[in-house]
Amino acid sequence: MIQKPSIPKGTRDFSPKQMIRRNYIFDSIRAVFQKYGYLPIDTPAMENLTTLMGKYGEEGDRLIFKILNSGDFLKKTETADLQSSDLNKLTTMICEKGLRYDLTVPFARYVVQNKNDITFPFKRYQIQPVWRADKPQKGRYREFYQCDVDVIGSNSLINEVELVLIIDEVFEKLGIETIIKISNRKILTGIAEIIGEPGKIIDITVAIDKLEKIGLEKVNEELAQKGLSEQAIEKLQPILNLKGILRVKFPKLQEILADSKIGMQGIEELMSVLIHLKELNLKNKWSFDLTLARGLDYYTGAIIEVVAKDMVMGSLCGGGRYDDLTGIFGLPDISGVGISFGADRIYDVLNELNLFPEDSSLTSKVMFVNFGKEEEKLCLKLIKEIRKAGISTELYPDHAKMKKQMKYADQKSIPNVVLIGEEEMKSEMYTLKNMITGEQQKVNLEELISILSKHN
RNA sequence: GUGGGUGUAGCUCAGUUGGUUAGAGUACUAGAUUGUGGUUCUAGGUGUCGCCGGUUCAACUCCGGUCAUCCACCCCA
């Protein structure tokens, strides 16, 4: 029986046209990364589960694709294990590898493993796919590419500033208008401290994040549901009600956080970054956004998120500072900061807003029509010379009807066609047809090459 | 994990209160045009109507289940 082929949920094939466009995104981003002095690395698609688990929060652990051990994967299990409902325990017995969930954790692992060969601060970029067992929907895929830049082994806030410059430059280059949102986890930590609920940072940040979406009342409800005391919620109100421009917000925040050392430090760090940005005349809009609360557990300082101005789509880029990601792997006191561009979402935005450049230059410049055996032989010789001149050239491989060959050239948007039949073979003057204007002329090889090199 | 929409030709979709032979556009192939594409005209369809079951004389149509897909929530790039 013939089965209809398909691909796993949330994955996609990419056509040549799509790949050309995807490569345009990757090339643009890579060029900017290199301009800022970052160097490339690659890491394996799969990592040991011990490397991945516990780094992304409870939700993250659930979304990691686990790989079944090869061979007799049940050999470590007892019947009781299989029947028990403790899936986590069972998972550790039958899987020891997983597909990487992001590029930051594998990078931290890489740094620890190669610490002796790395000169710090280490600036690296990495463009590779990651996998998440999420339910697919708009702008959300189970396999997607991240383009990461991170610098590890430097506490300087200049790194944060430079990352924002990279963001600004990438999106300017791609022609997407964005809003770069910036905050600092320490401020949120400080807030949690001040209201007397230091253990509830995550719940508080998630709730604050929803402020715009669901409103103050619902946020308060949710906080109560998460077990925050009435007093704590009361204390939080002035913070949730903070409005206005930076000059107004900051003094108020400073007032509220005066007793929190970490909170004050967060404000100071943030200010330092923002003051730099103000001097640097960014093309994209940027702002301090307290409601910005990135979910990943490991962020400790700056938090950055970028959204498109003209389209509703999740974040196109996100990141922040992580003070101790390498500590878990045995290399403490090394701070890193980095961001990640979501290439697939950027693709969707460029596509939707019609911002992809014309990509005509990527098909062959000229196609030779195939008239038969003798003609083929001559064509191959001529084509060799033309390719030597750096011109993409193809010969139609089959001795098909002229109409079919012309149609092929037309559909591939090949701008020139050369016809060599009996007559042309004799005279060594070849018929060159311009497919855009429809004009034809007789030329020799030299003229042919010179004409084709012109319309580059 | 929770909720909703949609599954009919390669693609985009029509298809009447259930009724006999399942439709359009587009794409594709051939011809008009034996060495000339994009326009035009003509001809060309073996579609498990997503799958399984139920109701009915009769189901693409109604009901139940299931799978796929899209959207929203959650979370994220």
Side-chain angles (χ1 to χ4, degrees):
Chain A
M1 186 180 140
I2 298 165
Q3 55 168 351
K4 238 186 182 170
S6 64
I7 54 175
K9 190 196 290 213
T11 65
R12 297 148 304 152
D13 287 324
F14 298 109
S15 66
K17 190 179 172 182
Q18 289 171 312
M19 276 315 293
I20 284 163
R21 294 179 156 197
R22 285 170 66 80
N23 285 337
Y24 160 72
I25 295 171
F26 294 135
D27 293 346
S28 302
I29 291 175
R30 186 181 299 114
V32 176
F33 288 174
Q34 284 172 347
K35 205 157 87 177
Y36 282 76
Y38 289 80
L39 296 172
I41 71 162
D42 257 22
T43 63
M46 60 182 113
E47 291 278 349
N48 292 326
L49 273 183
T50 49
T51 303
L52 301 177
M53 298 294 278
K55 312 298 189 298
Y56 310 106
E58 213 177 298
E59 176 82 356
D61 281 355
R62 212 165 52 80
L63 298 178
I64 294 171
F65 275 106
K66 283 103 186 167
I67 298 170
L68 206 53
N69 290 343
S70 29
D72 180 11
F73 53 82
L74 287 178
K75 67 184 167 202
K76 285 184 195 162
T77 60
E78 308 283 333
T79 315
D81 297 323
L82 295 176
Q83 282 164 351
S84 98
S85 55
D86 189 349
L87 283 178
N88 282 336
K89 193 183 162 201
L90 184 61
T91 301
T92 60
M93 286 189 224
I94 61 176
C95 306
E96 52 189 30
K97 299 176 289 297
L99 294 177
R100 67 169 162 247
Y101 180 89
D102 73 352
L103 300 178
T104 309
V105 168
F107 173 52
R109 191 223 82 225
Y110 174 94
V111 167
V112 174
Q113 266 187 267
N114 295 281
K115 60 186 177 219
N116 294 328
D117 304 318
I118 291 173
T119 309
F120 293 100
F122 182 42
K123 299 169 77 172
R124 86 85 174 77
Y125 74 84
Q126 188 172 355
I127 298 175
Q128 286 188 279
V130 303
W131 294 269
R132 295 183 188 177
D134 225 333
K135 207 164 174 178
Q137 53 187 275
K138 190 182 179 185
R140 171 169 303 181
Y141 307 100
R142 287 186 148 185
E143 178 184 58
F144 61 97
Y145 271 73
Q146 289 196 326
C147 313
D148 268 43
V149 249
D150 288 78
V151 46
I152 201 157
S154 163
N155 290 307
S156 168
L157 293 170
I158 293 298
N159 297 307
E160 273 86 338
V161 174
E162 283 223 319
L163 288 173
V164 176
L165 290 178
I166 287 178
I167 292 171
D168 191 52
E169 195 164 334
V170 164
F171 287 112
E172 191 203 347
K173 203 165 167 182
L174 294 172
I176 302 175
E177 284 190 65
T178 64
I179 299 160
I180 305 167
K181 300 176 177 178
I182 304 165
S183 185
N184 195 299
R185 221 337 128 66
K186 290 193 176 106
I187 295 176
L188 296 163
T189 309
I191 290 170
E193 214 174 84
I194 287 292
I195 66 169
E197 298 273 9
K200 295 269 199 259
I201 293 183
I202 306 246
D203 291 332
I204 293 169
T205 53
V206 167
I208 290 178
D209 189 28
K210 288 189 198 161
L211 196 54
E212 256 175 72
K213 265 191 220 159
I214 63 175
L216 184 59
E217 229 169 276
K218 289 251 170 98
V219 166
N220 286 337
E221 267 174 45
E222 196 170 313
L223 287 169
Q225 211 178 6
K226 294 276 181 180
L228 261 80
S229 71
E230 226 168 276
Q231 288 161 305
I233 295 177
E234 190 60 39
K235 273 188 169 170
L236 195 60
Q237 296 312 300
I239 293 161
L240 295 178
N241 282 315
L242 267 184
K243 283 189 186 111
I245 56 169
L246 286 183
R247 219 180 303 159
V248 182
K249 264 193 233 174
F250 268 108
K252 278 191 189 162
L253 253 185
Q254 271 172 313
E255 213 174 289
I256 295 165
L257 290 174
D259 292 332
S260 165
K261 199 178 158 195
I262 193 155
M264 291 304 279
Q265 200 188 340
I267 291 179
E268 208 174 293
E269 285 181 14
L270 184 62
M271 277 302 261
S272 160
V273 172
L274 296 186
I275 285 168
H276 272 111
L277 292 181
K278 213 168 178 184
E279 300 277 313
L280 288 164
N281 291 322
L282 301 202
K283 293 286 191 310
N284 288 274
K285 291 222 159 70
W286 54 273
S287 66
F288 162 55
D289 191 340
L290 186 62
T291 68
L292 172 63
R294 312 231 68 244
L296 293 181
D297 273 7
Y298 49 69
Y299 290 122
T300 51
I303 316 170
I304 302 168
E305 189 166 303
V306 184
V307 295
K309 207 173 134 215
D310 303 319
M311 189 180 162
V312 180
M313 169 68 70
S315 52
L316 301 181
C317 177
R321 181 171 283 277
Y322 40 91
D323 276 335
D324 202 27
L325 196 49
T326 57
I328 310 162
F329 302 125
L331 187 64
D333 304 321
I334 298 225
S335 181
V337 58
I339 50 171
S340 179
F341 292 82
D344 303 78
R345 283 187 178 172
I346 291 173
Y347 181 99
D348 290 345
V349 170
L350 289 173
N351 204 29
E352 185 86 12
L353 300 178
N354 254 317
L355 294 172
F356 278 110
E358 290 296 322
D359 41 30
S360 57
S361 63
L362 288 142
T363 116
S364 299
K365 280 276 165 325
V366 58
M367 186 197 86
F368 278 60
V369 173
N370 190 331
F371 278 89
K373 275 201 172 154
E374 286 306 308
E375 290 88 344
E376 242 173 35
K377 239 161 112 183
L378 172 64
C379 285
L380 281 175
K381 272 191 203 162
L382 297 172
I383 286 171
K384 196 174 174 200
E385 292 306 311
I386 296 170
R387 287 187 180 140
K388 219 186 246 179
I391 297 158
S392 316
T393 310
E394 60 186 288
L395 169 65
Y396 193 88
D398 300 298
H399 180 200
K401 281 186 185 168
M402 171 91 109
K403 180 170 174 154
K404 193 170 177 184
Q405 301 193 36
M406 293 300 283
K407 199 167 179 179
Y408 170 86
D410 183 51
Q411 292 198 326
K412 272 187 83 178
S413 311
I414 295 172
N416 298 286
V417 166
V418 172
L419 299 118
I420 300 178
E422 224 174 300
E423 190 193 319
E424 286 89 346
M425 277 182 70
K426 267 185 213 152
S427 64
E428 294 189 11
M429 291 296 282
Y430 314 117
T431 302
L432 170 65
K433 173 162 180 155
N434 181 319
M435 293 294 277
I436 297 151
T437 63
E439 282 164 19
Q440 287 187 199
Q441 55 183 317
K442 296 258 180 164
V443 295
N444 62 28
L445 177 61
E446 207 176 307
E447 291 165 331
L448 183 59
I449 291 174
S450 118
I451 290 170
L452 291 175
S453 339
K454 259 185 222 160
H455 326 271
N456 216 9

